[in-house]
Amino acid sequence: MISFEKEVSDRIKANVQDSILNQSAEAFMTASTLPKYCYNFAWLGRPVIQYPQDIVAMQEVIWEVKPDLIIETGIAHGGSLIMSASMLLLLDYCDAVESGTSLDPQETKRRVLGLDIDIRAHNKKAIEAHPLSNKIDMIEGSSIAPDIITEVKRRAKNYKRVLVCLDSNHTHKHVLAELEAYAPLVTPDSYCVVFDTIIEDLSAEMFPDRPWGPGNNPKTAVHDFLRNHSEFKINSSIHNKLLITVARDGFLQRKK
Ligand SMILES: C[S@@+](CC[C@H](N)C(=O)[O-])C[C@H]1O[C@@H](n2cnc3c(N)ncnc32)[C@H](O)[C@@H]1O
């Protein structure tokens, strides 16, 4: 009997060959960018600037890795921080069930660390007022500032399984600097997820007031980074499964 997992994996491989399905997904990504479709969603009450497919992919990644620290660059309204915090609390809960202990949310070790150059006062207030805020730490400053990088490295030393998500300034130079700073913190088998690689596949007119665009974006940074970092590989089964994603080539898994 073919296992369900094998069935799924065969279907994903077949879907990659399905030109109508792939063209439809590309058309949707292109048509949904300017209307800001990805700004329409929230996670446990906080706006999250992501496509629902990528949120589900992050749930699968977090379940697979079971990180004790998630580092995120780019907080905005805090939705992705709350999503990560909620997943970490569920992992804490599963640990407690498995070990037959009771869960004290104040005592759990898993945490999310968010970085943003500008944590708006109303967003900060709402994140701090959220019931999951006790699993979240935030640092204000540029994610590539040397003092911020030093502080993140200092905090990460206390953790065994680290997952990193990059979603801040989307220029090649910035993302490459983030990759050089934070990818080394990713523990083996975990991921550095780089969002908005899709910019490479969209037209320059879509980003008239942005410093990034085709040729200068997270995807170009990822490919540059991978030239010198054979310890990371793109897990293409994730973007091949999603089809609707802003992170094609962005799910970088640490192999050693
Ligand atoms: C796309 S939003 C983040 C969305 C968020 N991760 C979510 O899923 O809801 C990008 C954020 O990056 C922040 N940002 C821009 N430049 C930055 C930098 N140099 N360092 C850290 N954060 C930066 C912006 O202030 C903005 O809040």
Side-chain angles (χ1 to χ4, degrees):
M1 200 179 75
I2 303 173
S3 74
F4 184 74
E5 286 75 15
K6 167 96 174 57
E7 230 179 79
V8 172
S9 142
D10 289 349
R11 186 165 43 237
I12 292 168
K13 284 182 196 137
N15 286 351
V16 174
Q17 309 300 325
D18 182 334
S19 57
I20 294 181
L21 179 60
N22 282 276
Q23 281 161 19
S24 308
E26 271 172 44
F28 177 74
M29 290 310 297
T30 306
S32 60
T33 299
L34 281 183
K36 294 193 164 184
Y37 169 85
C38 68
Y39 286 75
N40 295 339
F41 304 94
W43 191 269
L44 301 182
R46 289 308 300 156
V48 54
I49 309 170
Q50 294 292 358
Y51 280 70
Q53 281 81 352
D54 284 324
I55 299 174
V56 172
M58 284 311 301
Q59 175 273 140
E60 292 192 4
V61 163
I62 294 170
W63 180 256
E64 178 190 329
V65 173
K66 300 193 171 46
D68 52 5
L69 177 66
I70 301 179
I71 299 167
E72 295 191 19
T73 69
I75 295 174
H77 301 265
S80 59
L81 284 188
I82 299 292
M83 189 273 174
S84 292
S86 68
M87 283 302 302
L88 294 183
L89 187 61
L90 286 173
L91 291 179
D92 292 338
Y93 172 76
C94 293
D95 282 352
V97 169
E98 275 171 18
S99 62
T101 53
S102 60
L103 176 72
D104 178 351
Q106 304 300 328
E107 292 288 310
T108 58
K109 188 164 177 280
R110 291 189 167 94
R111 299 194 71 75
V112 193
L113 174 58
L115 315 176
D116 201 295
I117 197 166
D118 179 16
I119 309 175
R120 303 272 165 90
H122 60 282
N123 288 330
K124 187 165 188 269
K125 200 171 157 201
I127 295 165
E128 286 174 348
H130 196 280
L132 291 175
S133 67
N134 66 344
K135 294 200 77 68
I136 297 171
D137 299 302
M138 292 181 278
I139 303 178
E140 189 168 60
S142 174
S143 54
I144 60 167
D147 57 330
I148 302 284
I149 295 170
T150 304
E151 177 58 15
V152 173
K153 286 184 176 165
R154 189 188 68 75
R155 295 192 195 197
K157 276 198 186 115
N158 300 325
Y159 294 89
K160 292 191 176 67
R161 278 187 221 169
V162 180
L163 173 69
V164 170
C165 303
L166 306 180
D167 189 19
S168 69
N169 177 322
H170 301 313
T171 63
H172 177 104
K173 194 174 166 201
H174 187 87
V175 178
L176 186 58
E178 284 189 329
L179 280 163
E180 295 292 357
Y182 301 116
L185 301 180
V186 172
T187 45
D189 298 324
S190 183
Y191 293 78
C192 182
V193 181
V194 183
F195 288 102
D196 282 316
T197 52
I198 190 167
I199 294 166
E200 177 66 1
D201 307 317
L202 297 171
S203 69
E205 296 79 60
M206 287 195 179
F207 312 101
D209 53 351
R210 298 292 202 172
W212 50 79
N216 172 16
N217 57 67
K219 192 187 268 182
T220 58
V222 162
H223 289 289
D224 206 355
F225 175 79
L226 290 178
R227 273 194 277 280
N228 301 313
H229 290 275
S230 59
E231 71 276 24
F232 282 92
K233 297 267 179 285
I234 294 168
N235 185 336
S236 51
S237 72
I238 301 180
H239 65 231
N240 285 341
K241 164 163 62 179
L242 294 171
L243 300 176
I244 305 280
T245 175
V246 300
R248 180 166 287 275
D249 289 1
F251 290 88
L252 307 183
Q253 190 169 24
R254 184 162 194 163
K255 294 295 183 185
K256 50 190 178 194

